[in-house]
Amino acid sequence: MMTAESLTERVCAEPVGAARDAAFDHALDVLRDRRDEFNSQRYVPADYIALLKRAGMYRASTPAVFGGEPMAPSDFMSLVERISAVDPATGWVSSFGSSLVYFAALPAETQRKIYAHGPDIAYAGGLFPMQEAQKVDGGYLCTGVWQFASGCRGADLIGIGLAGGPETDGKPLTALVDPADVEIVENWDVAGMKATGSHAVRADRVFVPEEMTFVRGGLPQIDEPLTRYPALAYAAQVLAVVTLGAARGALDYAIEVGAARTSITGGASKGNRPAYKSGLAVAEAELRSARAFFYESTDRVWAKAVAGQHISTDDQALLRLSATHAAHVGRSVVLQVFDLAGTGAIYETHPLQRYLQDALVPAQHAMLQTNTYEAAGALLLGLEAGIPSFP
């Protein structure tokens, strides 16, 4: 049974400043050495999650009132972007350091108990499909299988999705469970984002106390700037920024290779070819433009959250639009770099394969698919989005 008291003492982040920065740099160095291992085993292990905790990634959305050090979205996402430039799949897992914003909808006392042993919590959510749970005294008996629980092999808490009822006005619930109380079904057989370990989760009559459930994106019980920032838009953004990082990693590789004096055949270097130079420049301009729109939108809405100002539907629509655009442009940039690389890039061991396979995935996510362009446009025109829970 999952209770707030059942959480054990956790790894803590290094102090802010030089020690925290050194912990982050160390995590990147280790990732360069181990990313092939993570990809091969199809998950980021708990010992590496511990390094990200020491770097502060898993207290970045814990409320300050509970000992967290909530980061401005741009600051957090720039770290995810840097991780993703080394390994996008690990960046995807690290991005869920933002997801504790959902916990703000839990009763305040529950939050206090969850964070009693420290603010550094790795959370994974396997929310779909929403399952009907049996309502019993004090909570729910949960049975079912939930898909796409990214990072579940290294999580301290796992969320599962429950269909809502009259008590939630029909809104779906997330129930928090102890990873020891559920089975991880290893079905993550994919071509891209292998290391995210987005396996399924199976529960069999697991009891979850009512106070350990919340409406995803529900009304926060804690009022801080990060709990005022649109939670569902943030969820889309932290996935989109992974693609920006993947594109950066691919472009950096193209620049390094293009700067070589000669090619493998001894002829003129690739960088001296007109198509390579112009292709690289166009890709760089497209990535930087999408990135500027992404972070400008973020910072404008964050300023409103800090000031306690109203965040409008148009504000949220632009957040979602900039996220979708980042995911699609980032994917396009990686494909452009792949074209520049030539025949060698088709081999599985080629460095660009990591970015190519992983960068295709975020734009396939329901929060970033092509139809979200239309939904954002509809809202900017004062029309209905046509997509549930948008923006």
Side-chain angles (χ1 to χ4, degrees), residues 117-308:
H117 296 286
D120 305 276
I121 296 178
Y123 167 69
L127 304 179
F128 301 101
M130 297 291 178
Q131 304 285 359
E132 295 284 347
Q134 181 183 351
K135 188 73 170 69
V136 296
D137 287 346
Y140 300 87
L141 283 178
C142 303
T143 299
V145 177
W146 294 263
Q147 304 293 334
F148 306 122
S150 298
C152 59
R153 292 291 297 269
D156 300 306
L157 285 170
I158 292 178
I160 56 177
L162 307 181
E167 70 278 7
T168 67
D169 293 326
K171 296 178 181 177
L173 287 172
T174 297
L176 297 181
V177 299
D178 190 322
D181 291 338
V182 296
E183 174 191 359
I184 295 174
V185 182
E186 296 193 352
N187 64 347
W188 191 237
D189 186 14
V190 293
M193 291 290 180
K194 294 177 184 177
T196 63
S198 303
H199 300 295
V201 173
R202 177 183 289 123
D204 183 14
R205 294 182 63 80
V206 173
F207 175 72
V208 181
E210 189 165 2
E211 62 269 20
M212 295 298 290
T213 66
F214 61 91
V215 175
R216 184 168 178 258
L219 184 67
Q221 302 303 302
I222 303 297
D223 182 27
E224 293 186 3
L226 195 54
T227 66
R228 300 174 200 145
Y229 192 84
L232 295 180
Y234 196 21
Q237 288 185 290
V238 297
L239 302 181
V241 80
V242 171
T243 323
L244 294 180
R248 182 71 268 158
L251 271 171
D252 286 348
Y253 174 82
I255 291 170
E256 179 183 359
V257 171
R261 290 182 179 269
T262 59
S263 73
I264 192 172
T265 63
S269 69
K270 288 185 177 181
N272 273 327
R273 300 170 187 172
Y276 199 99
K277 288 182 281 190
S278 61
L280 179 70
V282 169
E284 187 75 45
E286 290 179 358
L287 177 61
R288 288 176 180 267
S289 297
R291 189 177 184 274
F293 175 34
F294 181 84
Y295 282 109
E296 184 275 332
S297 301
T298 300
D299 291 341
R300 185 171 48 81
V301 175
W302 175 244
K304 288 189 173 184
V306 171

